[in-house]
Amino acid sequence: MTLRFHNTLTRREEAFEPLRPGEVRLYTCGPTVYDHAHIGNFRTYLWEDLLRRHLKLRGHRVTQVMNLTDVDDKTIANARSAGLTLEDYTRRYIDAFFEDLDALGIERAEHYPRATAFIPEIVRLVQRLLQKGHVYESRGSFYFKISSFPHYGRLSRLDAASGAGQSRIDSDEYDKDNPRDFAVWKAPRDGEPFWQTEIGPGRPGWHMECSAMSMHLLGETFDIHTGGVDNIFPHHENEIAQSEAATGKPFVRYWMHAAHLIVDGEKMSKSKGNYLTLRDLAARGYDMRAIRFMLLSVHYRKPLNFTFEGLSQAQAALTRLDDLAGRIEQAAAGLQGEGGALAATAGERLRGMLADLDSDLNTAGALGHLFELVREIHSALDSGQFGRRDLEAVREVLGAFASVFGIRPGQRVDLDAEIESAIRRRSEARARRDFDEADRIRDDLLGHGIVLEDTPQGVRWKRKSA
RNA sequence: GGCGGCGUAGCCAAGCGGUAAGGCAGAGGUCUGCAAAACCUCCACACAUCGGUUCGAUUCCGAUCGCCGCCUCCA
């Protein structure tokens, strides 16, 4: 049961062992809170949630940090046009972000540091880099000198020396020694918020907050750092440079990156305008669990093409799981005998599922094992070869699935008395072969969202799914 | 132009040296008063194309074509 993860640093799958046995320190790049996150963003957050859950299932204690970047060009610009202070503006989207996390059933990380709450740590890091000669000052701003860091480009495999010619001119350009040097601290510009500090007034450059907060909360070397593939360059490359130049130690041991959500063959992104938020989908009546299922069912390193057809396929697959769970619980009451044949099979399926998850979080493979078991369970139930030990084993598998995927198959099992009595009246009508009356009641219940199924084992009911 | 990734049935998607998991949709059957669900059967003889390595390749190597991403803010 060794965990294996694809490490972007080496571009290969490696056995994973945390630096401190039993304890995984995980930094997951979070949102810049200038707007609602879209479902492409949530693909990554959902995958990180799965990673966290699987590490826990495998017995590790997890300390996860997710940053909230609440100061950058966009938050400043949007706050200004909304006529709000930066803090009031970003708080809105921080609140919205947590609502969305809850809606999707994403577990809370241990820490959600905000960049603006870590200005002193960021300043200290700049000072440290200054002392070591990795940073220079120019007109009140501070820049990281990439030529001072020999490993620059190792993560992204970009050659630091080349590409300078194509880089776009921005307003800071002539202040830098080399166009690829990047700002670690930005001098205040007309009316922008700034902090008064020992290195002068200003605000952190992008990248800095992640270095400062991750090292402060997780230590100078920690286990896993994740994000979307678009973060590899420049964000993560720059984080490595800043952090390692300051400490002289390896910053992160395993880098993991999620592929993008694609829409009509293109990356979903704010700038392209081809994005959907969770709120958009909720407004259209889509089930959050189905969204979660869909986004997790494709391996995280493969692009996932979002379509509404894909979403309804996910919904259908999920309904199959819910139906199964409902059937199991309704059957649980009347079990006779110990059984055990299916329990053995269930154990095999569970091992297969976990082995796939251990192998770089192969969710699609894991689901394959699960659905094979689904068929085997129905089959056993149909033939009455299902005893108490089988029930126990099956519940264990479903429980493992629920804890890693964050989706608990099943349905509400409560019924109000009125509906219960309607079901009873229909059974009586059927018994006297009054099928018109029986069908009338069935249609009526369907209108109330209750689906009835007559099986050899008796009447079964379930709630209609979307 | 540089770097990286992808191309498996109608759709989604695992596998990655020994002859193709799973889901959705579809067809036939069993069960059923009907319906639904479930179960059974069927649904890819070359897994983009062309070469090469090998006893043997979807799986390794090379080339070609197509698509995507990064190189600029971005999960």
Side-chain angles (χ1 to χ4, degrees):
Chain A
M1 64 161 266
T2 3
L3 290 167
R4 299 186 64 81
F5 295 140
H6 178 90
N7 189 347
T8 309
L9 261 181
T10 57
R11 309 283 158 121
R12 32 167 46 110
E13 215 173 87
E14 298 173 354
F16 172 77
E17 285 296 339
L19 200 55
R20 301 177 191 155
E23 178 190 355
V24 176
R25 288 169 290 165
L26 170 66
Y27 189 88
T28 49
C29 261
T32 301
V33 285
Y34 67 101
D35 197 357
H36 292 295
H38 59 65
I39 58 171
N41 301 322
F42 283 114
R43 181 199 189 180
T44 299
Y45 302 140
L46 236 17
W47 156 66
E48 289 160 348
D49 184 50
L50 180 100
L51 169 62
R52 165 194 176 84
R53 289 165 175 273
H54 188 60
L55 287 166
K56 283 166 66 177
L57 184 82
R58 285 317 209 174
H60 294 97
R61 195 162 69 251
V62 174
T63 305
Q64 180 189 356
V65 176
M66 177 176 278
N67 62 293
L68 301 169
T69 297
D70 59 350
V71 53
D72 80 319
D73 291 348
K74 277 179 294 201
T75 47
I76 290 170
N78 288 10
R80 179 182 285 177
S81 53
L84 293 172
T85 64
L86 187 61
E87 198 183 345
D88 286 342
Y89 180 80
T90 55
R91 187 181 303 118
R92 254 185 216 193
Y93 289 105
I94 290 174
D95 291 346
F97 179 65
F98 284 114
E99 284 169 23
D100 287 350
L101 292 186
D102 289 344
L104 281 173
I106 292 175
E107 281 186 4
R108 291 299 167 96
E110 281 62 32
H111 303 278
Y112 288 99
R114 288 176 300 119
T116 55
F118 279 77
I119 301 296
E121 287 78 6
I122 290 168
V123 168
R124 273 203 293 281
L125 190 55
V126 175
Q127 290 172 317
R128 220 167 148 184
L129 288 165
L130 211 45
Q131 278 160 20
K132 293 196 172 186
H134 289 106
V135 156
Y136 56 91
E137 194 253 324
S138 173
R139 303 212 290 186
S141 289
F142 292 82
Y143 299 95
F144 187 90
K145 189 179 187 58
I146 63 167
S147 62
S148 74
F149 186 70
H151 292 311
Y152 194 81
R154 194 157 73 108
L155 180 72
S156 56
R157 312 220 163 164
L158 291 175
D159 181 356
S162 73
Q166 292 98 287
S167 75
R168 285 227 317 261
I169 311 287
D170 69 25
S171 56
D172 298 325
E173 187 90 356
Y174 9 64
D175 298 337
K176 301 185 199 171
D177 292 356
N178 176 326
R180 301 283 280 244
D181 290 349
F182 55 92
V184 294
W185 185 258
K186 294 184 169 185
R189 285 189 296 204
D190 49 312
E192 289 184 347
F194 64 90
W195 283 260
Q196 197 66 57
T197 73
E198 299 98 279
I199 54 171
R203 62 181 169 97
W206 185 38
H207 323 305
M208 262 325 241
E209 81 275 23
C210 282
S211 287
M213 299 191 299
S214 63
M215 292 199 288
H216 182 80
L217 293 164
L218 296 174
E220 294 185 343
T221 299
F222 57 93
D223 296 303
I224 306 177
H225 192 134
T226 65
V229 286
D230 50 359
N231 279 151
I232 294 173
F233 190 89
H235 187 50
H236 290 335
E237 191 69 59
N238 291 352
E239 273 185 60
I240 292 173
Q242 293 167 343
S243 307
E244 299 194 351
T247 66
K249 297 175 190 166
F251 176 46
V252 167
R253 304 173 59 238
Y254 299 83
W255 286 92
M256 297 173 71
H257 293 94
H260 286 134
L261 188 70
I262 302 297
V263 184
D264 296 327
E266 279 196 320
K267 168 184 166 183
M268 178 177 283
S269 74
K270 291 280 171 61
S271 51
K272 289 181 177 164
N274 61 347
Y275 64 95
L276 285 165
T277 64
L278 222 48
R279 284 134 207 273
D280 295 332
L281 292 175
R284 295 210 209 177
Y286 287 97
D287 177 3
M288 295 295 121
R289 297 166 75 235
I291 295 168
R292 183 173 176 112
F293 186 93
M294 175 187 67
L295 293 178
L296 287 177
S297 61
V298 176
H299 185 83
Y300 75 93
R301 283 193 292 108
K302 286 192 94 175
L304 193 170
N305 194 27
F306 175 86
T307 61
F308 286 99
E309 193 197 343
L311 189 50
S312 48
Q313 288 183 2
Q315 179 68 262
L318 190 52
T319 299
R320 184 160 156 82
L321 290 179
D322 286 335
D323 285 357
L324 174 84
R327 183 176 184 194
I328 289 168
E329 292 318 312
Q330 289 180 45
L335 289 188
Q336 56 229 188
E338 290 300 304
L342 183 68
T345 308
E348 266 172 57
R349 298 299 177 213
L350 180 59
R351 280 191 292 280
M353 222 172 93
L354 295 180
D356 274 340
L357 290 169
D358 286 347
S359 171
D360 200 31
L361 304 171
N362 182 355
T363 50
L367 290 174
H369 293 285
L370 180 67
F371 278 100
E372 284 191 66
L373 181 62
V374 169
R375 178 175 36 79
E376 289 155 351
I377 293 169
H378 277 303
S379 189
L381 246 12
D382 283 350
S383 63
Q385 311 282 307
F386 191 89
R388 279 181 285 271
R389 280 180 52 212
D390 302 313
L391 175 68
E392 211 172 295
V394 160
R395 278 179 172 160
E396 190 190 343
V397 181
L398 256 25
F401 166 75
S403 62
V404 178
F405 281 78
I407 295 171
R408 183 160 293 281
Q411 299 216 332
R412 285 168 51 202
V413 292
D414 56 303
L415 272 186
D416 47 62
E418 208 176 311
I419 288 175
E420 263 182 65
S421 88
I423 293 173
R424 209 173 310 116
R425 275 185 286 114
R426 175 171 173 276
S427 296
E428 288 159 10
R430 288 186 72 221
R432 62 177 184 266
R433 302 190 69 78
D434 182 355
F435 296 121
D436 289 342
E437 170 70 359
D439 291 350
R440 200 189 55 71
I441 295 173
R442 183 169 64 191
D443 288 347
D444 186 53
L445 286 169
L446 188 60
H448 288 82
I450 301 292
V451 180
L452 293 189
E453 296 171 356
D454 301 315
T455 73
Q457 292 82 27
V459 187
R460 210 153 60 209
W461 63 270
K462 65 176 189 178
R463 289 200 159 74
K464 207 168 93 187
S465 59

